[in-house]
Amino acid sequence: MSRFVSLGRDLPLMAEAVPNSALAALASSGVVLGLLGLLSASAVTSLAYVSAGTALLLLGGVAWGAKHLMGAIRTRDKRRLMQLLGGSGAAYILADEDGHILWQNSAAATHFGSDIPCDLSAILSDMHANPDGFVTRMHDLACATDSADHHLALHNTHRAYHVAKLGDAQFLWRIDLENLSAPSAPLPDENPAPPAPHIQNTAAQPDDTQHLQTLPVGLAHINIEGQLTYVNDEARRLLGMRDTCLPRLSDLLEGLGRPVAEWIADIAAGRIARSTEVLRLKQNFSETYLKVTLTAPPFAEAGFIVVVFSDVTELKSLEAKFSQSQKMQAIGQLAGGVAHDFNNLLTAISGHCDLLLLRHDRSDLDFPDLMQIQQNTNRAAALVRQLLALSRQQTLKFETLDLHETIEDVTHLLNRLVGEKVTLTLRHGTDVAPIRSDKRQFEQILMNLVVNARDALPMGGEIRIETETRPLPQGLTRENVQLPPGTYTLITISDDGVGIPQALIGKVFEPFFTTKRQGEGTGLGLSTVYGIVKQSGGYIFVDSEEGVGASFTLYFAAQKPAPPVPETPTRDSLHNTALHLRHALILLVEDETPVRSFAARALELQGHKVLEADCGEAALDILTDHTIRPDCFVTDVIMPGLDGPSWIAEIRDRFPETPVIFMSGYAEDSRVAAQARISNATFLGKPFSLAEFTQTVNAQLREPVKAA
């Protein structure tokens, strides 16, 4: 029974949604079924058709009546609604889905002065740049949610719209012409809320500012000239605004590529609908960056642009560090390639200079000139070593260093560097563990940091070098660097000098960056230190306060003391060994002709016989003669075609015990690893002098044979 009651209650609403043609078809189907039943010969079939036809006819008739009944009720309700709203002070307009006005009350006719028939777009064009689009959006929203609200402020004129969907695709518009912040009450509502209070320094203020004021997102409104008209609390904090005055946006922020005013003009003119830029605060040389998004439509028709702020300072810092790491990597690769070529040139210059010095003593007129060439070659070699340290492509000879001995050995040089007005103080902790590094490069680290500290003490002062061993069971996180747990030996070089400004601390390790005057520094000192420390597996951090001083702290993994190496006495005297070495056969492989020429002459002066090759393939061709059995191989590491380790590996089974000397301006990790797999091999870095070259070759020839 309840099912039929529910059907009877819902049938009028269901029938109203059914088209008239469908109801007519339903009734016609009932008549046809009834006629078929009357013409049927079978009594049972006739009864069934007549019953079905009667049911369809009754259902169609009832639905038809219900539909027209509901239409009459709605028409009556609309008439009563129009009578009720006719004398209202608010403007009410009844329009169809296309925006054609079907009815309006006296307040709407008085204010808008419109005659029916008319379109909504005609009476809304004074406040909207695109009235047709606005009407369509409001109707679509009302269809989706039964009602729609919109508030508008422009040229001190405030409007609030409320649109309700009625039947037959009609919409009732209520336009509040005075109260901007009136709540959207159910229709009809004749009790308007009091007008919203005027907010100082705002030309056009939407009604939802009370809700926006405490949002944790920076929001603001600007007019088409870029003047701020509304700023919520979060935006004030991000912009650093402390007074009530609302300036132009371009007075607070500066663009990174073009003026802010030009960007706003593009948005206001509609050339860009929505745009995002990263801008920087202007005041006090701030390093604060804000991501600023400007959105014009649908707000452009209201005369203001919505601005959204978010702080991206940390993101910009990470981007800068990533960009800097890429720049340092590119500079390192360039420096490594240039250094390799320079080392070849310096080797040839230094070597031939040494050959000339063999024929000139101090009484010779050319001797001072040759010494100048040699000294300047050594200076150039030192600069190339800095470039290699910067690029981390130098070959380091790691050993366990006792800091007491290592620092004491270089103290006399450091005292000469700091001068008389600066005092150098050493403070060693108890039981300081050794570190593992290249001794020569570690001394370079100390000298660079001490010279840097000396330059920060123009009036004199004290430079402190302190060492200690510190366990870090939890590791250490600092400046986006994670030190793994372990025990570390710390070396700290500090001073009480002028210090480093906070804005420049992040740049001190950049190549070619210097705070010194032009001509007083190359900008490679600290970047060289950074490269050596990182290549040695260590870490370096800087602490500084302007006017107070600076402190550089190095972290190296603590090592166990190295066991003493007993000296092995040689059976043969040096004289007999030297006589034996005069008859050695050496295969020299070097692609640079000047270097190969110098090396061959140096070996021949020692009494050795030299076979020369300009590449690895040429060396293999020489060794196809099985009667040739060299006593030593001297080869460059990097050459066109087969490199040094590669061609040595091909003939190592034939000459498993022959000593090998690898030469190179720098050695990549893969080539160093290849060298390590070859027994009885040593490395000689370019540039080298005549004495260094001959001593290395003779030492390899004297070295007792090692098992592979």
Side-chain angles (χ1 to χ4, degrees):
M1 182 66 181
S2 61
R3 184 179 302 173
F4 290 104
V5 172
S6 176
L7 178 62
R9 183 176 62 248
D10 297 338
L11 183 59
L13 299 177
M14 295 169 57
E16 187 183 13
V18 178
N20 292 334
S21 58
L23 295 178
L26 184 65
S28 301
S29 300
V31 174
V32 171
L33 288 176
L35 292 175
L36 290 175
L38 294 176
L39 297 176
S40 177
S42 172
V44 176
T45 303
S46 175
L47 179 60
Y49 275 119
V50 171
S51 300
T54 303
L56 290 176
L57 184 61
L58 289 175
L59 182 59
V62 171
W64 184 281
K67 179 178 179 67
H68 285 275
L69 177 62
M70 289 301 296
I73 293 174
R74 288 190 180 277
T75 301
R76 183 195 62 187
D77 291 341
K78 288 180 183 178
R79 289 175 180 173
R80 290 182 178 178
L81 185 62
M82 293 176 184
Q83 292 175 358
L84 179 63
L85 301 179
S88 174
Y92 285 93
I93 297 174
L94 183 65
D96 62 14
E97 58 183 351
D98 296 324
H100 301 305
I101 297 177
L102 306 177
W103 171 86
Q104 62 182 351
N105 69 350
S106 58
T110 300
H111 180 79
F112 296 112
S114 58
D115 297 327
I116 300 176
C118 183
D119 291 338
L120 278 170
S121 58
I123 66 174
L124 300 180
S125 60
D126 62 330
M127 293 282 284
H128 296 267
N130 182 14
D132 290 329
F134 175 68
V135 171
T136 301
R137 287 198 304 272
M138 294 296 288
H139 284 179
D140 291 343
L141 184 59
C143 289
T145 61
D146 293 330
S147 64
D149 295 278
H150 184 77
H151 303 276
L152 184 63
L154 183 63
H155 306 310
N156 296 322
T157 302
H158 301 166
R159 285 185 189 174
Y161 300 93
H162 182 83
V163 181
K165 183 180 183 303
L166 303 180
D168 299 330
Q170 295 179 359
F171 300 87
L172 183 62
W173 287 66
R174 170 182 141 184
I175 305 176
D176 193 335
L177 304 174
E178 297 177 357
N179 184 14
L180 175 64
S181 58
S184 300
L187 291 174
D189 184 4
E190 297 301 317
N191 298 312
H198 177 68
I199 300 177
Q200 186 179 6
N201 298 318
T202 57
Q205 196 70 19
D207 73 321
D208 54 357
T209 53
Q210 295 179 357
H211 306 288
L212 301 179
Q213 195 66 28
T214 57
L215 280 178
V217 179
L219 293 174
H221 297 160
I222 59 174
N223 59 22
I224 58 177
E225 287 80 22
Q227 177 75 37
L228 286 165
T229 58
Y230 166 73
V231 184
N232 74 349
D233 295 340
E234 179 64 11
R236 283 183 175 274
R237 185 189 69 82
L238 293 174
L239 293 170
M241 298 173 58
R242 291 178 175 81
D243 52 13
T244 58
C245 179
L246 297 181
R248 291 177 178 270
L249 192 63
S250 57
D251 295 337
L252 300 175
L253 300 169
E254 59 181 354
L256 302 183
R258 56 174 175 164
V260 176
E262 179 182 324
W263 177 44
I264 296 174
D266 288 342
I267 295 290
R271 290 187 288 269
I272 305 175
R274 185 176 183 271
S275 180
T276 300
E277 293 276 358
V278 175
L279 308 179
R280 183 173 57 199
L281 288 181
K282 281 186 175 181
Q283 67 266 22
N284 300 326
F285 303 100
S286 174
E287 290 296 328
T288 300
Y289 292 88
L290 300 179
K291 184 173 74 172
V292 183
T293 301
L294 300 186
T295 304
F299 307 102
E301 60 194 22
F304 66 91
I305 299 172
V306 174
V307 189
V308 181
F309 302 97
S310 58
D311 192 343
V312 293
T313 303
E314 184 175 355
L315 178 61
K316 289 294 292 182
S317 176
L318 291 176
E319 287 181 354
K321 290 179 180 179
F322 178 71
S323 176
Q324 178 62 26
S325 67
Q326 288 184 316
K327 182 172 66 175
M328 290 190 68
Q329 181 180 4
I331 292 177
Q333 292 174 347
L334 175 62
V338 171
H340 174 259
D341 294 336
F342 264 81
N343 276 330
N344 281 325
L345 297 174
L346 293 174
T347 301
I349 295 172
S350 176
H352 285 91
C353 181
D354 289 341
L355 291 175
L356 288 173
L357 285 171
L358 292 177
R359 301 195 298 270
H360 296 76
D361 56 18
R362 294 182 179 274
S363 61
D364 197 306
L365 294 177
D366 295 331
F367 187 83
D369 296 333
L370 293 174
M371 290 302 298
Q372 282 292 326
I373 295 174
Q374 189 181 59
Q375 291 173 6
N376 284 280
T377 302
N378 293 335
R379 290 180 58 188
L383 180 59
V384 172
R385 283 195 296 270
Q386 283 188 314
L387 289 174
L388 287 173
L390 166 66
S391 62
R392 307 183 203 175
Q393 292 178 330
Q394 59 183 347
T395 301
L396 302 182
K397 184 179 180 181
F398 289 103
E399 55 184 305
T400 302
L401 301 179
D402 184 286
L403 290 181
H404 289 76
E405 298 178 0
T406 304
I407 297 178
E408 289 293 339
D409 291 343
V410 77
T411 299
H412 67 284
L413 177 59
L414 296 178
N415 280 320
R416 291 178 58 187
L417 288 174
V418 298
E420 297 179 355
K421 295 190 297 182
V422 177
T423 303
L424 183 64
T425 305
L426 302 180
R427 299 173 185 172
H428 292 291
T430 57
D431 299 327
V432 178
I435 66 172
R436 185 167 177 79
S437 182
D438 182 289
K439 183 177 181 180
R440 184 176 179 182
Q441 297 301 325
F442 182 75
E443 292 174 350
Q444 183 72 37
I445 291 174
L446 293 178
M447 286 189 289
N448 285 6
L449 292 177
V450 168
V451 168
N452 226 48
R454 178 204 65 188
D455 294 340
L457 296 166
M459 304 303 296
E462 181 186 17
I463 299 175
R464 296 171 295 278
I465 301 178
E466 301 171 280
T467 63
E468 65 170 312
T469 297
R470 181 185 303 174
L472 298 175
Q474 304 299 325
L476 177 67
T477 301
R478 180 173 173 180
E479 299 174 8
N480 299 318
V481 177
Q482 178 66 47
L483 275 68
T487 303
Y488 292 85
T489 296
L490 280 65
I491 304 98
T492 303
I493 295 90
S494 58
D495 63 77
D496 301 323
V498 296
I500 305 171
Q502 292 296 317
L504 301 180
I505 286 183
K507 301 180 179 180
V508 295
F509 295 120
E510 293 184 9
F512 310 110
F513 175 82
T514 178
T515 57
K516 301 176 184 178
R517 290 178 297 181
Q518 187 174 5
E520 294 186 358
T522 62
L524 289 176
L526 290 179
S527 58
T528 300
V529 169
Y530 183 86
I532 296 173
V533 170
K534 299 305 291 183
Q535 192 176 7
S536 301
Y539 305 86
I540 182 170
F541 302 103
V542 56
D543 298 284
S544 181
E545 184 176 349
E546 193 170 7
V548 177
S551 174
F552 289 84
T553 305
L554 287 73
Y555 287 75
F556 289 94
Q559 305 292 325
K560 295 181 179 180
V565 180
E567 295 184 2
T568 305
T570 58
R571 296 181 180 180
D572 299 331
S573 65
L574 293 177
H575 176 71
N576 293 334
T577 304
L579 291 176
H580 172 70
L581 292 176
R582 292 183 186 277
H583 305 288
L585 177 61
I586 298 176
L587 176 57
L588 173 63
V589 185
E590 169 63 59
D591 62 309
E592 288 287 339
T593 302
V595 177
R596 187 173 69 252
S597 173
F598 151 67
R601 289 183 59 187
L603 293 174
E604 289 170 351
L605 287 174
Q606 292 287 306
H608 303 306
K609 183 178 180 180
V610 182
L611 299 176
E612 298 183 33
D614 61 356
C615 61
E617 291 83 356
L620 295 178
D621 291 340
I622 292 174
L623 295 177
T624 55
D625 187 349
H626 291 275
T627 62
I628 298 177
R629 299 193 64 83
D631 299 302
C632 181
F633 298 118
V634 180
T635 178
D636 192 15
V637 173
I638 300 176
M639 296 180 294
L642 284 176
D643 57 32
S646 298
W647 80 262
I648 288 290
E650 290 193 17
I651 53 93
R652 201 55 176 165
D653 56 342
R654 291 175 51 197
F655 304 93
E657 300 174 354
T658 304
V660 181
I661 299 175
F662 289 107
M663 308 179 298
S664 182
Y666 71 92
E668 299 174 355
D669 293 340
S670 59
R671 304 179 191 278
V672 173
Q675 172 199 337
R677 293 194 297 268
I678 298 175
S679 62
N680 201 15
T682 190
F683 181 85
L684 180 61
K686 297 177 182 178
F688 47 77
S689 64
L690 173 65
E692 290 173 338
F693 179 60
T694 55
Q695 288 173 4
T696 302
V697 173
N698 292 337
Q700 278 294 89
L701 291 173
R702 286 195 304 267
E703 190 74 17
V705 176
K706 300 178 181 179

PDB file of all heavy atoms in Angstrom, residues 67-82:
ATOM      1  N   LYS A  67       0.852  16.725 -15.038  1.00  0.00           N
ATOM      2  CA  LYS A  67       1.804  17.683 -15.613  1.00  0.00           C
ATOM      3  C   LYS A  67       1.168  19.063 -15.714  1.00  0.00           C
ATOM      4  O   LYS A  67       1.774  20.066 -15.339  1.00  0.00           O
ATOM      5  CB  LYS A  67       2.248  17.193 -16.996  1.00  0.00           C
ATOM      6  CG  LYS A  67       3.228  18.133 -17.712  1.00  0.00           C
ATOM      7  CD  LYS A  67       3.632  17.550 -19.039  1.00  0.00           C
ATOM      8  CE  LYS A  67       4.595  18.486 -19.767  1.00  0.00           C
ATOM      9  NZ  LYS A  67       5.877  18.593 -19.081  1.00  0.00           N
ATOM     10  N   HIS A  68      -0.030  19.121 -16.250  1.00  0.00           N
ATOM     11  CA  HIS A  68      -0.678  20.419 -16.404  1.00  0.00           C
ATOM     12  C   HIS A  68      -1.078  20.998 -15.059  1.00  0.00           C
ATOM     13  O   HIS A  68      -1.092  22.219 -14.883  1.00  0.00           O
ATOM     14  CB  HIS A  68      -1.890  20.288 -17.330  1.00  0.00           C
ATOM     15  CG  HIS A  68      -1.491  20.162 -18.777  1.00  0.00           C
ATOM     16  ND1 HIS A  68      -1.233  21.258 -19.569  1.00  0.00           N
ATOM     17  CD2 HIS A  68      -1.272  19.063 -19.559  1.00  0.00           C
ATOM     18  CE1 HIS A  68      -0.895  20.855 -20.786  1.00  0.00           C
ATOM     19  NE2 HIS A  68      -0.914  19.520 -20.805  1.00  0.00           N
ATOM     20  N   LEU A  69      -1.373  20.095 -14.089  1.00  0.00           N
ATOM     21  CA  LEU A  69      -1.686  20.585 -12.750  1.00  0.00           C
ATOM     22  C   LEU A  69      -0.460  21.253 -12.132  1.00  0.00           C
ATOM     23  O   LEU A  69      -0.548  22.340 -11.562  1.00  0.00           O
ATOM     24  CB  LEU A  69      -2.160  19.427 -11.874  1.00  0.00           C
ATOM     25  CG  LEU A  69      -2.457  19.800 -10.401  1.00  0.00           C
ATOM     26  CD1 LEU A  69      -3.598  20.834 -10.333  1.00  0.00           C
ATOM     27  CD2 LEU A  69      -2.823  18.544  -9.594  1.00  0.00           C
ATOM     28  N   MET A  70       0.703  20.615 -12.241  1.00  0.00           N
ATOM     29  CA  MET A  70       1.934  21.195 -11.693  1.00  0.00           C
ATOM     30  C   MET A  70       2.283  22.491 -12.419  1.00  0.00           C
ATOM     31  O   MET A  70       2.759  23.448 -11.811  1.00  0.00           O
ATOM     32  CB  MET A  70       3.089  20.199 -11.822  1.00  0.00           C
ATOM     33  CG  MET A  70       2.969  18.997 -10.888  1.00  0.00           C
ATOM     34  SD  MET A  70       2.891  19.466  -9.152  1.00  0.00           S
ATOM     35  CE  MET A  70       4.494  20.214  -8.943  1.00  0.00           C
ATOM     36  N   GLY A  71       2.082  22.521 -13.739  1.00  0.00           N
ATOM     37  CA  GLY A  71       2.354  23.752 -14.475  1.00  0.00           C
ATOM     38  C   GLY A  71       1.473  24.882 -13.997  1.00  0.00           C
ATOM     39  O   GLY A  71       1.929  26.026 -13.863  1.00  0.00           O
ATOM     40  N   ALA A  72       0.188  24.560 -13.748  1.00  0.00           N
ATOM     41  CA  ALA A  72      -0.723  25.590 -13.258  1.00  0.00           C
ATOM     42  C   ALA A  72      -0.308  26.075 -11.881  1.00  0.00           C
ATOM     43  O   ALA A  72      -0.364  27.270 -11.572  1.00  0.00           O
ATOM     44  CB  ALA A  72      -2.159  25.036 -13.234  1.00  0.00           C
ATOM     45  N   ILE A  73       0.141  25.092 -11.040  1.00  0.00           N
ATOM     46  CA  ILE A  73       0.568  25.475  -9.687  1.00  0.00           C
ATOM     47  C   ILE A  73       1.791  26.387  -9.765  1.00  0.00           C
ATOM     48  O   ILE A  73       1.877  27.399  -9.070  1.00  0.00           O
ATOM     49  CB  ILE A  73       0.863  24.217  -8.852  1.00  0.00           C
ATOM     50  CG1 ILE A  73      -0.437  23.447  -8.599  1.00  0.00           C
ATOM     51  CG2 ILE A  73       1.552  24.582  -7.551  1.00  0.00           C
ATOM     52  CD1 ILE A  73      -0.226  22.114  -7.912  1.00  0.00           C
ATOM     53  N   ARG A  74       2.763  25.997 -10.618  1.00  0.00           N
ATOM     54  CA  ARG A  74       3.973  26.812 -10.738  1.00  0.00           C
ATOM     55  C   ARG A  74       3.635  28.184 -11.312  1.00  0.00           C
ATOM     56  O   ARG A  74       4.203  29.195 -10.901  1.00  0.00           O
ATOM     57  CB  ARG A  74       5.008  26.108 -11.616  1.00  0.00           C
ATOM     58  CG  ARG A  74       5.649  24.911 -10.935  1.00  0.00           C
ATOM     59  CD  ARG A  74       6.836  24.392 -11.726  1.00  0.00           C
ATOM     60  NE  ARG A  74       7.447  23.263 -11.084  1.00  0.00           N
ATOM     61  CZ  ARG A  74       8.342  23.341 -10.106  1.00  0.00           C
ATOM     62  NH1 ARG A  74       8.691  24.546  -9.664  1.00  0.00           N
ATOM     63  NH2 ARG A  74       8.865  22.264  -9.562  1.00  0.00           N
ATOM     64  N   THR A  75       2.763  28.240 -12.291  1.00  0.00           N
ATOM     65  CA  THR A  75       2.360  29.533 -12.841  1.00  0.00           C
ATOM     66  C   THR A  75       1.714  30.395 -11.777  1.00  0.00           C
ATOM     67  O   THR A  75       1.997  31.596 -11.672  1.00  0.00           O
ATOM     68  CB  THR A  75       1.390  29.330 -14.014  1.00  0.00           C
ATOM     69  OG1 THR A  75       2.041  28.535 -15.015  1.00  0.00           O
ATOM     70  CG2 THR A  75       0.979  30.667 -14.618  1.00  0.00           C
ATOM     71  N   ARG A  76       0.903  29.777 -10.958  1.00  0.00           N
ATOM     72  CA  ARG A  76       0.257  30.518  -9.877  1.00  0.00           C
ATOM     73  C   ARG A  76       1.301  31.002  -8.869  1.00  0.00           C
ATOM     74  O   ARG A  76       1.264  32.143  -8.404  1.00  0.00           O
ATOM     75  CB  ARG A  76      -0.773  29.614  -9.177  1.00  0.00           C
ATOM     76  CG  ARG A  76      -1.554  30.323  -8.064  1.00  0.00           C
ATOM     77  CD  ARG A  76      -2.268  29.300  -7.200  1.00  0.00           C
ATOM     78  NE  ARG A  76      -1.290  28.436  -6.560  1.00  0.00           N
ATOM     79  CZ  ARG A  76      -1.635  27.346  -5.849  1.00  0.00           C
ATOM     80  NH1 ARG A  76      -2.907  26.987  -5.754  1.00  0.00           N
ATOM     81  NH2 ARG A  76      -0.690  26.616  -5.291  1.00  0.00           N
ATOM     82  N   ASP A  77       2.274  30.100  -8.559  1.00  0.00           N
ATOM     83  CA  ASP A  77       3.317  30.483  -7.603  1.00  0.00           C
ATOM     84  C   ASP A  77       4.167  31.617  -8.156  1.00  0.00           C
ATOM     85  O   ASP A  77       4.575  32.519  -7.414  1.00  0.00           O
ATOM     86  CB  ASP A  77       4.203  29.282  -7.276  1.00  0.00           C
ATOM     87  CG  ASP A  77       3.442  28.232  -6.460  1.00  0.00           C
ATOM     88  OD1 ASP A  77       2.396  28.593  -5.875  1.00  0.00           O
ATOM     89  OD2 ASP A  77       3.918  27.075  -6.408  1.00  0.00           O
ATOM     90  N   LYS A  78       4.470  31.568  -9.468  1.00  0.00           N
ATOM     91  CA  LYS A  78       5.271  32.638 -10.054  1.00  0.00           C
ATOM     92  C   LYS A  78       4.524  33.957  -9.991  1.00  0.00           C
ATOM     93  O   LYS A  78       5.111  35.010  -9.719  1.00  0.00           O
ATOM     94  CB  LYS A  78       5.627  32.308 -11.505  1.00  0.00           C
ATOM     95  CG  LYS A  78       6.664  31.199 -11.647  1.00  0.00           C
ATOM     96  CD  LYS A  78       6.960  30.937 -13.113  1.00  0.00           C
ATOM     97  CE  LYS A  78       7.944  29.778 -13.262  1.00  0.00           C
ATOM     98  NZ  LYS A  78       8.208  29.460 -14.685  1.00  0.00           N
ATOM     99  N   ARG A  79       3.248  33.930 -10.245  1.00  0.00           N
ATOM    100  CA  ARG A  79       2.460  35.162 -10.198  1.00  0.00           C
ATOM    101  C   ARG A  79       2.449  35.730  -8.786  1.00  0.00           C
ATOM    102  O   ARG A  79       2.588  36.935  -8.581  1.00  0.00           O
ATOM    103  CB  ARG A  79       1.035  34.894 -10.675  1.00  0.00           C
ATOM    104  CG  ARG A  79       0.947  34.632 -12.176  1.00  0.00           C
ATOM    105  CD  ARG A  79      -0.463  34.255 -12.573  1.00  0.00           C
ATOM    106  NE  ARG A  79      -0.543  33.993 -14.025  1.00  0.00           N
ATOM    107  CZ  ARG A  79      -1.636  33.515 -14.623  1.00  0.00           C
ATOM    108  NH1 ARG A  79      -2.734  33.241 -13.901  1.00  0.00           N
ATOM    109  NH2 ARG A  79      -1.628  33.323 -15.926  1.00  0.00           N
ATOM    110  N   ARG A  80       2.262  34.832  -7.797  1.00  0.00           N
ATOM    111  CA  ARG A  80       2.290  35.304  -6.417  1.00  0.00           C
ATOM    112  C   ARG A  80       3.668  35.871  -6.066  1.00  0.00           C
ATOM    113  O   ARG A  80       3.775  36.872  -5.358  1.00  0.00           O
ATOM    114  CB  ARG A  80       1.937  34.158  -5.465  1.00  0.00           C
ATOM    115  CG  ARG A  80       0.478  33.730  -5.552  1.00  0.00           C
ATOM    116  CD  ARG A  80       0.193  32.620  -4.553  1.00  0.00           C
ATOM    117  NE  ARG A  80      -1.209  32.216  -4.586  1.00  0.00           N
ATOM    118  CZ  ARG A  80      -1.726  31.233  -3.835  1.00  0.00           C
ATOM    119  NH1 ARG A  80      -0.924  30.559  -3.016  1.00  0.00           N
ATOM    120  NH2 ARG A  80      -3.006  30.941  -3.913  1.00  0.00           N
ATOM    121  N   LEU A  81       4.771  35.182  -6.569  1.00  0.00           N
ATOM    122  CA  LEU A  81       6.129  35.644  -6.294  1.00  0.00           C
ATOM    123  C   LEU A  81       6.360  37.013  -6.921  1.00  0.00           C
ATOM    124  O   LEU A  81       6.963  37.905  -6.310  1.00  0.00           O
ATOM    125  CB  LEU A  81       7.147  34.632  -6.843  1.00  0.00           C
ATOM    126  CG  LEU A  81       8.625  34.904  -6.530  1.00  0.00           C
ATOM    127  CD1 LEU A  81       8.887  34.889  -5.036  1.00  0.00           C
ATOM    128  CD2 LEU A  81       9.514  33.871  -7.224  1.00  0.00           C
ATOM    129  N   MET A  82       5.857  37.204  -8.149  1.00  0.00           N
ATOM    130  CA  MET A  82       6.025  38.495  -8.806  1.00  0.00           C
ATOM    131  C   MET A  82       5.269  39.584  -8.065  1.00  0.00           C
ATOM    132  O   MET A  82       5.745  40.719  -7.950  1.00  0.00           O
ATOM    133  CB  MET A  82       5.557  38.411 -10.260  1.00  0.00           C
ATOM    134  CG  MET A  82       6.426  37.523 -11.134  1.00  0.00           C
ATOM    135  SD  MET A  82       5.767  37.348 -12.811  1.00  0.00           S
ATOM    136  CE  MET A  82       6.936  36.179 -13.507  1.00  0.00           C
TER     137      MET A  82
END
